[in-house]
Amino acid sequence: MSGKRFAEESDSNQYWENERRRRARPSLASAIGEVVKVNFVQNFCTALEPMLRRVVNEEVENGLRRSIPSYSRSSSWRIKAVEPSTMQLKFRKNLTLPIFTGTKILDEDGNPLELYIVDLSHNQESTVSCALKLQIVVLDGDFPSADSNKWTSDEFEKNIVKERRGKRPLLAGDVSVTMRDGVSLVENIELTDNSSWIRSRKFRIAARVVHGATPGLVIREAMTEAFVVKDHRGELYKKHHPPMLEDEVWRLEKIGKDGAFHKKLAANNIKTVQEFLKLSVVNEPKLRKILGLGMSDKMWEVTINHARTFVVTSKIYILRGPNNTIFLNPICQVIKAVINGENLSGKDLSRVNKAYIQKFVEEAYQNWNSLEVVDGPLCDTPLLTQGDRLDQYASNYPITTAIYEEHVIPERQTTELTYTSDRDHGGVVSSSYFYGPVEAYNFSDSSSKGELAATHNFIN
């Protein structure tokens, strides 16, 4: 009997336990109702917050205005300061390109970079009364976008390029400069890494005013054009256009550094562009023989034409003998001779016995390091270039010349030079600093067919 009572009690307890659990489990309707209530409260608070902020701000400003009469003026000044700035830093000139790692960055004239301030509203240079601290940084070449010349300080900051992990700082040198009177020079900066590892493969140099240096004054940042940075080792093999006379001979086209032609020339003590040109003037067949059959006629034309665009200098080399004095230019061409007291220059030289003058040229070549050297122009009357025409050029007059065949022809020259070549090649333009026209002559057998001819109107 007791067992039956116990079983009934157990069933009853189980029933009430299940009923309690069922009532405790929320229904779908009650769950949705709870979510709606929570969302309503959140939305209400979100809508109410700005209203409360505005009311509080208005009350605070009203209280300040009543207690501090000058507050309204300072408030308007403060609002004006955050307006878009009309002042901007700018680089004076573009950069000298290409740019290599470890090489000083200069402007297109070879001078240090110059920064100045421009007032965009009037499009004119401006200045500020105080000294400004500037920071020089590197930017991604794709910033800013091509269709926009406006950016925010945050956008500028995000596009600053830092060094790669494990590398030195990307920009070395004067990364912090001071601007006074609205102008500043960046005299010594260089990049330590190439630009191939970023997506744009280009950098920009930029400058900005250090944060906090000008309270209440906003000056926009300056940036250069985008450029590629190559490893310095690329510069080591670069050809020079135009070449300098003291350049190593492998700086000429078709002569590779440590290549076959370079080694052959070095073995014959031809190490510079000047030595290459001197031998081409005195004995061109010998120079061609040294280079060998590997240098075709086409390659030779490229090399010798490149060499002839060299930067002209004002040095004159003098060979003195018992009864003669021979004046030569830096590549062993005769520009004047004094033989037995008779001055010979210009077209007078073409009437001299070729073999007679050639022996002096060869003597000068063999004793080049013993020749007397003067730095400056010959003090002669400008020489005739052809016929009876005479062209005068002012002393110390910078003009442009064109190298045509073996002639250096000044711009605006109205006469023609005498030459004997039957080949026609395009001119190569270069610039030099001139003193006055002086003709130079080759006297080697390879220089002409028959009579002597002026090979350079050698003016410097």
Side-chain angles (χ1 to χ4, degrees), residues 316 327 329 334-336 345-346 349 377-385 393 408 434-441 454 456-460:
I316 296 171
F327 298 84
N329 65 28
V334 178
I335 55 178
K336 178 182 175 181
S345 56
L349 283 169
L378 289 174
C379 298
D380 284 348
T381 302
L383 307 177
L384 291 176
T385 55
Y393 299 101
V408 181
F434 294 89
Y435 291 93
V438 179
E439 291 202 274
Y441 286 80
H456 282 264
N457 186 21
F458 195 85
I459 303 203
N460 190 8

Side-chain angles (χ1 to χ4, degrees), residues 237 239 250 252-263:
Y237 297 91
K239 305 300 181 183
W250 57 263
L252 297 177
E253 296 290 347
K254 304 302 180 182
I255 301 177
K257 185 178 182 182
D258 298 325
F261 296 143
H262 184 202
K263 291 178 180 178

Side-chain angles (χ1 to χ4, degrees), residues 342-400:
E342 182 181 1
N343 284 298
L344 302 171
S345 56
K347 63 180 182 179
D348 293 334
L349 283 169
S350 63
R351 295 195 292 265
V352 178
N353 182 279
K354 179 179 178 180
Y356 181 70
I357 293 292
Q358 176 63 16
K359 72 175 184 178
F360 293 125
V361 173
E362 292 177 353
E363 182 183 349
Y365 179 79
Q366 295 297 331
N367 299 281
W368 191 261
N369 293 331
S370 301
L371 299 182
E372 180 183 341
V373 183
V374 295
D375 193 357
L378 289 174
C379 298
D380 284 348
T381 302
L383 307 177
L384 291 176
T385 55
Q386 181 180 355
D388 296 324
R389 297 287 301 274
L390 178 66
D391 287 327
Q392 298 279 353
Y393 299 101
S395 180
N396 298 332
Y397 180 50
I399 62 177
T400 300

Side-chain angles (χ1 to χ4, degrees), residues 320-338:
R320 299 187 186 276
N323 300 308
N324 59 77
T325 303
I326 309 297
F327 298 84
L328 306 104
N329 65 28
I331 60 172
C332 212
Q333 292 173 320
V334 178
I335 55 178
K336 178 182 175 181
V338 180

Side-chain angles (χ1 to χ4, degrees), residues 85-155:
S85 174
T86 62
M87 308 285 277
Q88 181 175 359
L89 293 172
K90 287 210 170 187
F91 286 96
R92 180 79 65 183
K93 296 179 180 178
N94 290 334
L95 304 178
T96 294
L97 301 177
I99 292 177
F100 295 90
T101 57
T103 302
K104 187 183 294 186
I105 298 175
L106 303 170
D107 69 20
E108 59 190 356
D109 293 332
N111 299 319
L113 305 185
E114 183 179 347
L115 285 158
Y116 68 103
I117 299 176
V118 63
D119 184 348
L120 298 176
S121 61
H122 299 91
N123 196 27
Q124 63 183 19
E125 278 194 51
S126 183
T127 184
V128 291
S129 58
C130 59
L132 300 179
K133 193 78 169 178
L134 306 183
Q135 182 187 17
I136 312 300
V137 297
V138 181
L139 293 181
D140 189 320
D142 277 348
F143 176 79
S145 59
D147 57 348
S148 175
N149 63 348
K150 296 182 179 180
W151 58 87
T152 65
S153 296
D154 288 341
E155 290 171 339

